[in-house]
Amino acid sequence: MHKQNRKAFIEKMGNGGVAIFASAPPVKWNHDTEYLYRPDPNFYYLTGFEEPESICVIAPEHSKYQYILFVRPKDKQAEIWNGKRVGVKDARRRYGADKVYPIEKFSEKIGKYLQGAERLYYTLGSNEHVDTEILSLFTQSVRSRIRSGKGFDTLVDPSPILSELRLIKNETELQRIQMATEITGAGHAAAMKAVRPGMYEYDLEALVESTFRMNGAGGPAFPTIVASGDNATILHYTTNDRQIEDETLVLIDAGAEYGRYCGDVTRTFPANGTFTEAQREIYQLVLDAHYAIIDGIRPGVSIDEPHQKSIELLTESMLSLGLLKGKAEKLIEKEKYRQFYMYRIGHMLGL
């Protein structure tokens, strides 16, 4: 999968380019503990490599090596504390690199892969340490080009190319997203079956996330939202510490991550198993819009069309409920619906 991803990226690069991708840096929790590591999505998409302190170089026109990795070497003492490392030798065997170096050799070795390049592809802002090195290389190259006519003088962000490539999923990616979504559904179903007034939001959070893990997920794809009552009006509420009251609704926004690919589902349900009359009326209007929008999705439909349809349907619903007054067209033109619907209908899924 990753080899095909690199091939597709190289085709988009054109002649005269070299690309450098840095792994995401670890993030400290406190002085001797780090947050659970997650690789940079673009880096993972091209390499499949999941360790920090690593760099990928893609040099399509190099005479000998076109795919180069710089990785952490094996370190017996460090591995006692933080787990096994792939190391230089196994990185080449397992990840298909033409050449692998210890990460400490990057500054020394990178020059040979930049010779003859006209453009350097690199995304600034995701790894401060590597940014500094890249900007230094760029400055040196520009000066060299002024003096001798040799060296690259263009720095290009590869993110737009990769964003476009990542829109279209291959069969492996589709299988992982399918599995992530099925596991996500299992977590939601477990919460719906278990919920009772008097429980705490974090009880359901723990149940959802343990269901993810027991079904093979690596964990949650993002911080799980369990919002009861008016907490559900906070779009990215993650405190999850309120006691769930009778006759309130519970909103869960949660997704499992499987093979680094993400599920993402939001559902709302009554804490005691029965909607009040007002809750049912609003829920039904939203559900009707939900099915109408899904019915209109097919190849060739732009991502904005379902969203625009949702605005039209939900604005009509707000009028029927008395939340808005006036003509639907004028209300949409003035974005009055945003008092109650300030989000978009959906977003892409993947890494």
Side-chain angles (χ1 to χ4, degrees):
M1 178 175 79
H2 304 287
K3 183 178 181 179
Q4 291 303 114
N5 294 343
R6 291 193 300 274
K7 180 181 178 182
F9 174 74
I10 289 169
E11 289 174 357
K12 296 283 187 180
M13 283 176 66
N15 297 329
V18 172
I20 297 176
F21 297 91
S23 61
V27 179
K28 288 284 187 183
W29 182 304
N30 55 36
H31 73 285
D32 65 351
T33 306
E34 295 171 352
Y35 284 96
L36 183 66
Y37 185 73
R38 192 175 194 279
D40 174 82
N42 285 340
F43 183 86
Y44 178 81
Y45 180 78
L46 293 168
T47 68
F49 196 72
E50 299 184 89
E51 291 187 9
E53 298 178 64
S54 48
I55 295 174
C56 161
V57 178
I58 296 177
E61 296 169 41
H62 190 267
S63 60
K64 196 170 183 181
Y65 306 124
Q66 291 79 49
Y67 170 40
I68 307 97
L69 285 177
F70 294 82
V71 305
R72 300 181 304 182
K74 301 288 285 183
D75 184 322
K76 193 171 184 178
Q77 190 64 30
E79 290 178 52
I80 289 172
W81 286 94
N82 297 312
K84 296 290 185 182
R85 297 179 175 184
V86 173
V88 172
K89 182 179 178 181
D90 282 350
R92 183 176 182 182
R93 177 179 60 84
R94 289 169 55 181
Y95 295 94
D98 300 320
K99 184 69 175 177
V100 182
Y101 299 100
I103 187 64
E104 293 83 2
K105 296 285 188 179
F106 177 74
S107 297
E108 175 188 336
K109 300 293 185 180
I110 187 58
K112 69 169 69 175
Y113 300 106
L114 295 175
Q115 291 175 6
E118 298 172 3
R119 297 180 312 283
L120 175 61
Y121 289 84
Y122 178 78
T123 300
L124 292 166
S126 60
N127 189 315
E128 186 177 349
H129 173 71
V130 181
D131 286 356
T132 301
E133 290 216 44
I134 297 301
L135 290 173
S136 176
L137 285 168
F138 181 65
T139 301
Q140 293 171 30
S141 182
V142 169
R143 289 173 178 167
S144 172
R145 191 173 184 87
I146 292 170
R147 291 193 304 267
S148 65
K150 296 179 181 180
F152 60 91
D153 62 355
T154 305
L155 189 62
V156 182
D157 183 0
S159 299
I161 295 175
L162 286 163
S163 294
E164 191 70 23
L165 290 174
R166 286 172 52 192
L167 285 175
I168 309 300
K169 314 301 187 195
N170 60 40
E171 191 59 36
T172 299
E173 291 176 303
L174 290 172
Q175 289 171 0
R176 292 186 187 184
I177 293 171
Q178 180 70 46
M179 182 61 75
T181 303
E182 290 176 5
I183 295 170
T184 297
H188 278 268
M192 290 178 187
K193 292 175 183 176
V195 66
R196 299 288 185 277
M199 296 178 74
Y200 283 82
E201 293 165 342
Y202 53 68
D203 293 321
L204 295 182
E205 175 188 13
L207 178 59
V208 167
E209 294 188 2
S210 65
T211 302
F212 289 170
R213 293 304 301 267
M214 288 189 290
N215 282 275
F222 51 88
T224 298
I225 296 170
V226 181
S228 62
D230 61 4
N231 284 343
T233 64
I234 303 169
L235 297 181
H236 289 160
Y237 169 82
T238 54
T239 308
N240 299 351
D241 64 356
R242 176 184 284 182
Q243 189 171 28
I244 299 170
E245 299 176 7
D246 194 21
E247 295 193 344
T248 60
L249 296 176
V250 178
L251 178 148
I252 296 182
D253 183 351
E257 183 179 274
Y258 182 85
R260 296 298 179 188
Y261 284 77
C262 303
D264 186 355
V265 172
T266 302
R267 290 293 181 268
T268 304
F269 48 90
N272 63 9
T274 304
F275 288 106
T276 66
E277 186 177 339
Q279 290 168 351
R280 182 179 296 278
E281 183 180 13
I282 295 172
Y283 189 94
Q284 190 63 54
L285 288 168
V286 175
L287 187 62
D288 290 344
H290 173 82
Y291 284 126
I293 292 160
I294 289 175
D295 190 54
I297 293 175
R298 56 184 51 84
V301 173
S302 79
I303 194 169
D304 285 328
E305 289 179 52
H307 180 64
Q308 189 59 38
K309 182 70 172 176
S310 74
I311 291 172
E312 294 166 5
L313 292 172
L314 293 177
T315 299
E316 292 289 353
S317 296
M318 293 173 205
L319 282 167
S320 71
L321 292 166
L323 294 173
L324 296 177
K325 297 186 184 301
K327 300 276 189 181
E329 285 184 13
K330 286 291 183 184
L331 293 169
I332 291 172
E333 182 183 332
K334 294 180 179 180
E335 297 188 338
K336 293 296 185 181
Y337 61 85
R338 288 182 64 84
Q339 299 172 68
F340 306 103
Y341 178 46
M342 63 288 295
Y343 218 45
R344 289 187 65 84
I345 193 65
H347 54 74
M348 304 298 181
L349 276 180
L351 290 168

